[in-house]
Amino acid sequence: MVEGEFTLAIKRRLDALDLDIRVVILGESVRKDYLSVYGYPHNNAPFLNSANGVFIDGFIAPSYNTPSSVPLLFGLNLNGGKTNYANSVVRLANNAGFETYWISNQGTRNAAFDTRSSLFANQALHTEYIGSKTMEIRDDFDLFDYFDRALDDRVDKPKIIFLHMYGSHNDPCGRLHGFSNRYNLPYGDSFNCYLATIEKLDIFIKTLIDKMNTRQKSWALLYLSDHGLLHSGEKTSVKFKHTGTAKQSYEVPFFALDCNDKEHIIIKRQVSGLKFFDFFSVWIGYDTDASDPNYTMRDFPQSVNIKTPKGDYAKLYDDPALY
Ligand SMILES: [Zn+2]
């Protein structure tokens, strides 16, 4: 893929916060409606349930699988439907003067299953793929050591650390790596493992925050999932699949926490994932000549007529959570 040069004019916002560390977590296959903080009745996200920050309930991922969704999230989407990968969130961060790190549990630099997210990974000033050349999938908790190293890297600039998880990707039981699964709902092992991967995500986020607090760093953290999943199979043995035919293929968690937040806020409003670039630029404290400065986490325009690769989002069927 041809990238070209970063071409945007950028300007620091008056409301920009001086923070030591910003963390962006790119999650995997996490449906919003399976997190207790978004209303799932089983308490699988106890930390997030009361974490101070802004949780957007209505963020619609641009596609239903990783290779097609991540480029649309992290690239700049131009009017007319084209995406510019040179003007990505990572390049924006570099150009705004941040020391950037991309630490990935998805793929290796040359692996066959490497997705287009490696394009953005390689745009960071520091890139680490923790997966081995044998394509073994590692525990997301193995990202912690690399995160520690990025935190302790001696540079004078503020840092942005991107973490690309393996999250709740199929097969969810294979994502637990020994993490205990206390769920026993009557929908089968995969289903219960999926709930446990959400609980693991909750602990993952809490652990990152504890690491920053221990080091007395000021910080902000942004989480989003690349897409959702749909149920398939028998009701007693539910599986999850990548299909874009229902609303929940696209309904993902999107939230921002920071060390200065004093409230737990949930904003119920629909917004297209194609606006992620706009949210990101405001979040790091910059406006650009190609992004909309009105996408703050606390207030943003509602998106109407959201399109998906499988047609109008509003016309897709409903595949509600099981509990
Ligand atoms: Zn994915």
Side-chain angles (χ1 to χ4, degrees):
M1 198 178 303
V2 180
E3 286 179 59
E5 297 298 312
F6 183 85
T7 56
L8 305 183
I10 63 174
K11 187 164 174 265
R12 193 168 150 91
R13 289 170 65 95
L14 293 174
D15 62 1
L17 295 175
D18 281 314
L19 296 171
D20 301 321
I21 314 286
R22 283 181 170 79
V23 181
V24 179
I25 304 173
L26 177 55
E28 174 60 64
S29 300
V30 174
R31 282 171 59 139
K32 170 198 78 179
D33 56 358
Y34 275 113
L35 272 78
S36 52
V37 64
Y38 285 100
Y40 190 60
H42 299 282
N43 183 12
N44 60 356
F47 172 71
L48 293 173
N49 284 351
S50 59
N52 288 335
V54 182
F55 294 76
I56 294 178
D57 184 347
F59 188 75
I60 310 299
S63 193
Y64 57 88
N65 62 35
T66 303
S68 60
S69 194
V70 174
L72 296 172
L73 288 165
F74 279 26
L76 173 67
N77 297 295
L78 307 171
N79 292 332
K82 276 200 146 185
T83 304
N84 182 308
Y85 306 107
N87 293 330
S88 69
V89 295
V90 181
R91 286 277 193 80
L92 170 61
N94 291 341
N95 280 271
F98 293 91
E99 193 78 7
T100 55
Y101 303 78
W102 185 296
I103 309 169
S104 176
N105 192 20
Q106 288 216 14
T108 64
R109 205 173 284 267
N110 303 305
F113 67 98
D114 220 352
T115 69
R116 276 202 264 180
S117 37
S118 65
L119 174 79
F120 303 113
N122 295 331
Q123 291 174 343
L125 299 180
H126 309 267
T127 308
E128 293 275 6
Y129 293 90
I130 76 165
S132 72
K133 288 257 172 1
T134 57
M135 307 201 333
E136 163 207 12
I137 308 295
R138 291 181 60 180
D139 187 340
D140 280 330
F141 283 179
D142 290 349
L143 289 162
F144 292 148
D145 283 348
Y146 296 83
F147 184 72
D148 285 339
R149 256 175 262 165
L151 285 182
D152 295 333
D153 192 15
R154 288 180 168 272
V155 293
D156 290 334
K157 296 194 281 179
K159 297 171 182 173
I160 298 186
I161 304 170
F162 295 87
L163 296 169
H164 194 181
M165 303 178 71
Y166 218 74
S168 304
H169 194 282
N170 279 336
D171 162 39
C173 295
R175 308 297 148 238
L176 293 175
H177 297 270
F179 184 82
S180 73
N181 180 358
R182 62 189 181 86
Y183 298 94
N184 193 20
L185 277 70
Y187 308 116
D189 286 348
S190 276
F191 181 87
N192 288 308
C193 287
Y194 188 82
L195 297 186
T197 62
I198 303 296
E199 187 172 305
K200 191 175 173 184
L201 168 64
D202 189 66
I203 290 172
F204 182 83
I205 292 172
K206 180 179 185 302
T207 303
L208 298 176
I209 291 172
D210 287 346
K211 286 173 177 296
M212 294 187 283
N213 285 336
T214 300
R215 288 166 172 84
Q216 299 185 310
K217 299 293 185 191
S218 57
W219 56 266
L221 179 149
L222 196 64
Y223 173 91
L224 76 163
S225 176
D226 59 350
H227 56 81
L229 292 171
L230 299 187
H231 304 113
S232 71
E234 297 291 313
K235 193 104 189 235
T236 52
S237 169
V238 170
K239 302 273 187 289
F240 291 92
K241 61 178 179 178
H242 287 75
T243 315
T245 47
K247 291 191 171 79
Q248 286 77 6
S249 311
Y250 308 95
E251 294 177 352
V252 294
F254 179 40
F255 53 84
L257 314 177
D258 83 55
C259 61
N260 300 309
D261 278 332
K262 299 278 186 285
E263 306 167 280
H264 178 86
I265 299 171
I266 296 183
I267 299 180
K268 253 186 177 324
R269 190 180 305 158
Q270 221 158 69
V271 64
S272 166
L274 296 176
K275 300 296 179 191
F276 181 73
F277 188 99
D278 306 75
F279 280 109
F280 179 88
S281 63
V282 172
W283 182 72
I284 67 168
Y286 281 81
D287 289 332
T288 82
D289 58 350
S291 57
D292 187 330
N294 295 309
Y295 286 82
T296 72
M297 291 300 289
R298 281 164 193 264
D299 191 23
F300 51 88
Q302 176 161 328
S303 301
V304 291
N305 300 325
I306 295 176
K307 306 278 185 243
T308 76
K310 301 289 184 182
D312 290 348
Y313 165 76
K315 292 184 183 155
L316 300 175
Y317 76 92
D318 207 30
D319 179 45
L322 303 167
Y323 49 84

